[in-house]
Amino acid sequence: MFLNDNVLLMYIYIYRYLFNLKKKVKNKAHVEASICEAYIVEEISTFISYYFEPHLRTRINRVPRHDDGGEVHSNGLLSIFSNHGRPTPKNTVRGRYLSEIEFRQAHNYVLFNCDELRPFIK
């Protein structure tokens, strides 16, 4: 018997939710109270983090996952190329060429996200 995809996704969601609830249990003698307390602490900390100073890192204003350290001052270059980058790992395939679709997507990205070109787009 095969389950419908929606039912399978529902079970995955339920198991994930139960896993998160089980992680919140600190006092095994009072499981329900422990889950409620952890939930309330999480809600309160989320709520009050909106009122912290902007330079304090919280769940709400954390640094993006792939942040490489901010922007570099461009030396006459376009602003789109002023971000830090990471070197390619040695074990990756080098010399890969972009397909026509990938090239057009990269070209459009540069055109639409470069501040210096905005007057020409309008």
Side-chain angles (χ1 to χ4, degrees):
M1 181 172 138
F2 294 101
L3 292 175
N4 186 351
D5 287 341
N6 293 333
V7 174
L8 184 64
L9 289 174
M10 182 183 67
Y11 280 121
I12 291 172
Y13 176 76
I14 290 171
Y15 284 128
R16 223 180 260 165
Y17 184 70
L18 288 174
F19 176 74
N20 288 333
L21 286 179
K22 286 179 182 179
K23 284 193 311 187
K24 293 179 182 182
V25 173
K26 302 297 179 197
N27 184 356
K28 292 187 179 181
H30 303 286
V31 176
E32 293 88 358
S34 181
I35 292 173
C36 289
E37 180 183 7
Y39 180 77
I40 290 171
V41 167
E42 183 179 347
E43 286 293 317
I44 290 173
S45 63
T46 302
F47 177 73
I48 63 172
S49 66
Y50 287 113
Y51 299 99
F52 288 158
E53 295 291 325
H55 65 276
L56 294 174
R57 295 289 169 225
T58 62
R59 243 180 50 173
I60 304 303
N61 64 354
R62 70 174 67 160
V63 177
R65 182 175 180 186
H66 299 294
D67 185 23
D68 287 330
E71 297 203 2
V72 180
H73 299 292
S74 62
N75 299 328
L77 301 174
L78 297 175
S79 64
I80 191 110
F81 300 113
S82 65
N83 293 325
H84 284 288
R86 285 177 280 200
T88 307
K90 293 181 181 179
N91 59 357
T92 59
V93 178
R94 297 190 188 257
R96 178 185 175 278
Y97 294 101
L98 297 177
S99 68
E100 186 67 29
I101 295 172
E102 291 172 329
F103 180 79
R104 286 180 190 214
Q105 288 174 341
H107 184 254
N108 287 338
Y109 178 82
V110 171
L111 288 177
F112 292 126
N113 292 308
C114 185
D115 293 334
E116 291 84 3
L117 298 177
R118 292 219 188 267
F120 300 104
I121 293 174
K122 294 178 183 180

